[in-house]
Amino acid sequence: KTAARQTELAGTNARPSTETSPPASAVEEELAIVGVALTAEQEAAADTLQEKYLSQLRSLNRDIQGLHMQLVSLEADKLVEIENVLTKEQLVQLREIRQNAPAALTATTSRTGPFQSDSNLRRNH
């Protein structure tokens, strides 16, 4: 929410009215959520602090997104290699298991792969 609100306000100098619009800054929005009211001086100080950390937070968020993509890609590569080791019969069995898996299990395996850990892989095969 904070990043979206900052992006929304980034291209304008206008600050929305508090009577009809959400809070003018991400800090105000966060504090409004928990019910903390700030004085004008506190708002200014909070906005300054928000700006101080904004670029670092954005940069780290981009790094996290990049690492997540690498993680997903590596996990997919691992699954392909594991499937290459299986026989045709085992692949058919694996696909049947995946198709018949409950929705909650499917969500878990889509995030972490069909095996929850390498130790489970070794133990189960």
Side-chain angles (χ1 to χ4, degrees):
K1 281 184 174 181
T2 300
R5 185 71 180 137
Q6 282 293 340
T7 302
E8 201 176 287
L9 294 172
T12 68
N13 289 332
R15 293 180 69 91
S17 165
T18 55
E19 293 85 23
T20 60
S21 300
S25 74
V27 173
E28 289 176 74
E29 182 176 322
E30 288 176 35
L31 293 173
I33 290 170
V34 295
V36 176
L38 298 179
T39 66
E41 292 161 346
Q42 289 172 318
E43 285 180 26
D47 286 343
T48 301
L49 291 169
Q50 175 73 11
E51 290 299 319
K52 175 182 175 182
Y53 290 99
L54 187 62
S55 66
Q56 282 182 295
L57 291 168
R58 283 184 179 163
S59 175
L60 290 172
N61 190 41
R62 280 191 294 272
D63 292 348
I64 289 169
Q65 289 173 347
L67 288 170
H68 182 259
M69 288 174 28
Q70 287 179 358
L71 176 76
V72 170
S73 177
L74 189 59
E75 188 71 31
D77 292 346
K78 179 185 85 171
L79 293 176
V80 168
E81 288 193 38
I82 288 172
E83 289 176 354
N84 287 337
V85 172
L86 301 177
T87 66
K88 285 186 180 188
E89 294 80 17
Q90 289 171 322
L91 282 171
V92 168
Q93 183 182 9
L94 179 60
R95 288 188 182 113
E96 287 174 5
I97 290 169
R98 286 178 178 164
Q99 287 176 350
N100 296 325
L105 180 58
T106 303
T108 302
T109 57
S110 68
R111 248 191 356 254
T112 60
F115 309 104
Q116 293 190 355
S117 70
D118 290 336
S119 61
N120 284 346
L121 176 63
R122 286 189 292 274
R123 184 173 49 238
N124 294 329
H125 294 87

